[in-house]
Amino acid sequence: MPPMRIKALWCTFLCALTITASAAADGPPSPALTAATSPSVVFGGLRVLSEDAVRNAMGNRPATVRDADRAVRRIVSFYRSRGYTEARAWFRFDPDRTLRIEVDEGRMAAVVFPDSSAREVLDFRAELTLIEDVFHRPTVEAAVARLRSRLRAW
């Protein structure tokens, strides 16, 4: 496979990535909370990174809607700094004031390789192993590099 074909395959891969869409939280969050009623925090959607790591990235337990918004931004930044470039998160407050933070780490529903032969698709899939089907840029880039190297050896 010529280098331009690999580059085109890589670009197509990134463009064709389909991320599982997750619905945003229902309705607006509860009114601002006081520090005395700081909510418990529950995470959903964690597949790759540990809850402890995400809690550390979140920082102090959010006490207000503004704090929760900042915490979610810190969590997304934490994921992206580790190569999970498609990660996103959102929050909602339950009626009992529990703060629920949902994280989509970048889970992919499908990877599509338009205009690629069956052999090219199989070669790339053989090189690409994503934990829990979560997009991780360094893993994808390493797979492309291995594929390039293997194809140059032919």
Side-chain angles (χ1 to χ4, degrees):
M1 190 178 326
M4 287 303 290
R5 181 74 174 143
I6 291 173
K7 187 174 181 180
L9 182 63
W10 171 242
C11 289
T12 302
F13 171 73
L14 289 179
C15 293
L17 242 172
T18 305
I19 306 299
T20 302
S22 301
D26 295 331
S30 300
L33 303 171
T34 66
T37 60
S38 186
S40 61
V41 180
V42 176
F43 293 96
L46 304 181
R47 298 175 177 278
V48 177
L49 299 183
S50 72
E51 183 173 330
D52 287 341
V54 175
R55 277 189 190 280
N56 286 337
M58 176 183 70
N60 294 332
R61 209 166 68 176
T64 65
V65 171
R66 177 181 265 167
D67 291 344
D69 187 54
R70 287 183 189 135
V72 164
R73 282 192 234 149
R74 282 193 300 274
I75 290 167
V76 170
S77 178
F78 174 71
Y79 271 92
R80 291 185 177 166
S81 73
R82 280 153 184 74
Y84 298 96
T85 57
E86 301 301 320
R88 59 197 182 104
W90 57 95
F91 70 92
R92 75 168 191 250
F93 286 102
D94 287 344
D96 68 355
R97 300 215 184 265
T98 298
L99 173 60
R100 295 197 178 275
I101 298 177
E102 291 295 324
V103 179
D104 176 351
E105 295 174 315
R107 189 171 166 104
M108 299 184 309
V111 178
V112 180
F113 302 97
D115 301 324
S116 298
S117 70
R119 176 154 169 63
E120 291 168 338
V121 171
L122 288 174
D123 284 345
F124 194 71
R125 286 191 188 267
E127 292 296 333
L128 181 63
T129 304
L130 295 172
I131 298 170
E132 295 285 339
D133 294 326
V134 172
F135 183 81
H136 185 244
R137 183 172 297 280
T139 301
V140 172
E141 289 172 347
V144 169
R146 285 191 306 272
L147 185 58
R148 278 186 184 142
S149 176
R150 202 173 87 202
L151 292 173
R152 283 185 196 137
W154 280 13

